[in-house]
Amino acid sequence: MIDFSSSPLLVAPLLLGCTLTHAGVSIRITEVEAYLGAEDEASHAFRGKTPRNAAMFGPPGRLYVYNSYGIHKAGNIVCWPEGTPGAVLLRAGEVVAGCDLARQRRNDIHPPARLAQGPGNFGQALNLLISDNHAAISLDPSDPSPEFSLVSPAESPQFLTGPRIGITKNPLPKWRFWIPGDPTVSRPRRP
């Protein structure tokens, strides 16, 4: 079982291969990025707590959802003990259930691998809303009706690490984790 009170750097690779379910869609997570709060210039919590980033300060195992570029909803899973900000950004995944619903939400005509490729697409396919901020993620398969449930794979996949994508502050640490060869993983834009 994943211990969300651990560092985002420890939680991030454990999320790979997990299936996150919400609002009729299930996505197998294939790519994530770790953000280390006050010690990470690229983190929304680097400059301290605000109404926008308050979810990042805990409790762990909750969602931090924010508007990206004013139109997309990006989702993160909060890590570290309450009061210490940190999170793992859900960058990409494979829609494994509710494909028609995800396609409808995205008005998508692209191949299935692109339905949840990129944080904004992931959020749209899963129907993330700002009101989902602070929502608890259930790891309990016997939970009768969780709003968000996360199921770990039978076997953890191999993964690679590299620099995070699309940031200008603190871009060098290899805090992006992905399943190699998976067609849903984001492709970094060339400079």
Side-chain angles (χ1 to χ4, degrees), residues 173-188:
K174 295 183 176 185
W175 294 345
R176 177 176 160 244
F177 302 80
W178 70 92
I179 298 174
D182 193 291
T184 65
V185 171
S186 305
R187 289 163 186 80

Side-chain angles (χ1 to χ4, degrees), residues 52 66-74 130:
R52 178 188 185 211
Y66 65 91
N67 282 317
S68 176
Y69 301 109
I71 52 172
H72 302 294
K73 306 297 183 274
I130 294 299

Side-chain angles (χ1 to χ4, degrees), residues 22-23 51-52 55 62-67 72-75 123 126-136 147-148:
H22 172 65
R52 178 188 185 211
R62 304 284 177 125
L63 281 177
Y64 165 48
V65 181
Y66 65 91
N67 282 317
H72 302 294
K73 306 297 183 274
L126 205 58
N127 197 37
L128 290 180
L129 305 169
I130 294 299
S131 60
D132 293 321
N133 233 349
H134 300 279
E147 192 174 347
F148 290 89

Side-chain angles (χ1 to χ4, degrees), residues 2-3 5-15 34 36 79-80 88 177:
I2 298 172
D3 177 7
S5 66
S6 299
S7 165
L9 291 173
L10 297 175
V11 173
L14 297 177
L15 290 172
L36 278 61
C79 303
W80 273 335
V88 177
F177 302 80

Side-chain angles (χ1 to χ4, degrees), residues 32-139:
V32 295
E33 289 179 349
Y35 287 86
L36 278 61
E39 59 188 78
D40 178 3
E41 249 189 304
S43 171
H44 290 176
F46 180 69
R47 298 198 190 286
K49 192 173 185 178
T50 67
R52 178 188 185 211
N53 71 16
M56 279 189 79
F57 289 78
R62 304 284 177 125
L63 281 177
Y64 165 48
V65 181
Y66 65 91
N67 282 317
S68 176
Y69 301 109
I71 52 172
H72 302 294
K73 306 297 183 274
N76 298 258
I77 298 178
V78 176
C79 303
W80 273 335
E82 189 162 3
T84 303
V88 177
L89 173 66
L90 303 169
R91 275 209 61 85
E94 174 192 10
V95 178
V96 294
C99 194
D100 290 341
L101 186 55
R103 190 175 288 287
Q104 182 181 33
R105 289 174 182 160
R106 294 241 14 251
N107 297 318
D108 197 89
I109 57 169
H110 300 299
R114 302 227 10 231
L115 277 176
Q117 184 181 60
N121 295 336
F122 192 109
Q124 192 173 10
L126 205 58
N127 197 37
L128 290 180
L129 305 169
I130 294 299
S131 60
D132 293 321
N133 233 349
H134 300 279
I137 296 171
S138 175
L139 298 173

